C-alpha cells in the first residue's frame, strides 16, 4: 500500500471529489461489517477483543498488558524485552543474537523506508474524502460497541460516551 501522502492521494484518486473506495485498503476500515461477519460465523461477544490501533501504537506495553489480562494469562514484564526505534521512530522488538542486532541497525538507518513511509500527513482533500466515506460506518461501529457490552475494547470504555472521534483528520 502506498504510504507517502502524495502517492496515497494518487492511489485514492482524490481529485475534485472522486474517491476510489473499492480498494481493500479502504474497505478494511469497515469494522462494523467485519464484526457482524465474525458474529454471524458463531463467535460470541465475550470472545471478541476490539483494539483501536491509534492509541495501541502509542503505548505498546500497556496494550500487551491489557491483552495478556484479557486472555487470562499470567502478567509478563514487557519492559524487559529489548527494543529499538526504527527509522520512522516506531518502537520495535529486537530479535536475539547478531542477526537481531543487524536487523535493528538496518531498520534504524533505512532511508528507503523513511522515503516510502513518510510521516507527512495526508492531504486535506484525502482526509475529507476518508472522513466522509467512514462517517456512517464509524457511527455504526460506535453504536455496536456501546451496545455490545460483552465485547472487550482497548482502550477500555470510559462511560457511555462515543468511542470514536468525529473526525480522524483533525
Amino acid at each position: 500500500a502506498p504510504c507517502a501522502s502524495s502517492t496515497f492521494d494518487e492511489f485514492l484518486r482524490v481529485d475534485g471529489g472522486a474517491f476510489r473506495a473499492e480498494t481493500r485498503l479502504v474497505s478494511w476500515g469497515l469494522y462494523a461489517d467485519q464484526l457482524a461477519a465474525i458474529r454471524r460465523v458463531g463467535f460470541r461477544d465475550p470472545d471478541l477483543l476490539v483494539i483501536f490501533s491509534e492509541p495501541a501504537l502509542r503505548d505498546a506495553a500497556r496494550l500487551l498488558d491489557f491483552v495478556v489480562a484479557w486472555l487470562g494469562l499470567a502478567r509478563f514484564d514487557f519492559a524487559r524485552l529489548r527494543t529499538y526505534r526504527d527509522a520512522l521512530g516506531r518502537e520495535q522488538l529486537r530479535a536475539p543474537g547478531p542477526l537481531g542486532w543487524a536487523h535493528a541497525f538496518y531498520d534504524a538507518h533505512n532511508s528507503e523506508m523513511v522515503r516510502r513511509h513518510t510521516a507527512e500527513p495526508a492531504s486535506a482533500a484525502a482526509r475529507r474524502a476518508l472522513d466522509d466515506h467512514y462517517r456512517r460506518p464509524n457511527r455504526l461501529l460506535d453504536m455496536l460497541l456501546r451496545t455490545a457490552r460483552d465485547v472487550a475494547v482497548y482502550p477500555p470504555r470510559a462511560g457511555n460516551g462515543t468511542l470514536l472521534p468525529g473526525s480522524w483528520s483533525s
Side-chain angles (χ1 to χ4, degrees):
C3 295
S5 62
S6 59
T7 310
F8 189 65
D9 284 2
E10 292 168 19
F11 177 75
L12 289 178
R13 291 191 212 141
V14 177
D15 184 15
F19 178 68
R20 194 172 116 181
E22 71 279 359
T23 70
R24 278 192 297 168
L25 184 63
V26 174
S27 66
W28 280 339
L30 302 175
Y31 303 118
D33 293 349
Q34 294 173 24
L35 279 172
I38 289 168
R39 289 164 126 186
R40 273 194 306 274
V41 297
F43 283 90
R44 299 172 319 114
D45 287 359
D47 299 329
L48 301 177
L49 170 59
V50 174
I51 299 171
F52 289 101
S53 59
E54 288 80 6
L57 294 174
R58 284 192 292 269
D59 193 344
R62 179 184 262 164
L63 167 67
L64 291 171
D65 286 340
F66 183 88
V67 171
V68 165
W70 181 77
L71 291 170
L73 301 173
R75 191 178 184 308
F76 178 80
D77 182 8
F78 290 100
R80 293 187 345 214
L81 298 175
R82 286 186 162 177
T83 61
Y84 66 94
R85 295 246 173 237
D86 68 15
L88 298 173
R90 302 173 302 189
E91 187 177 34
Q92 304 284 347
L93 285 176
R94 190 177 120 190
L99 238 52
W101 178 88
H103 184 64
F105 184 82
Y106 174 79
D107 272 2
H109 299 90
N110 183 353
S111 62
E112 175 69 17
M113 179 180 8
V114 172
R115 207 167 56 249
R116 290 183 45 217
H117 297 82
T118 181
E120 177 186 329
S123 72
R127 292 192 313 269
R128 276 192 309 277
L130 290 168
D131 278 343
D132 289 346
H133 179 73
Y134 288 121
R135 187 166 287 113
R136 184 175 179 279
N138 281 346
R139 276 197 306 263
L140 292 173
L141 176 63
D142 192 67
M143 185 173 28
L144 184 151
L145 292 176
R146 282 190 286 127
T147 57
R149 301 302 289 179
D150 287 338
V151 173
V153 177
Y154 181 86
R157 295 172 176 94
N160 288 328
T162 183
L163 295 167
L164 299 168
S167 165
W168 292 101
S169 60
S170 40

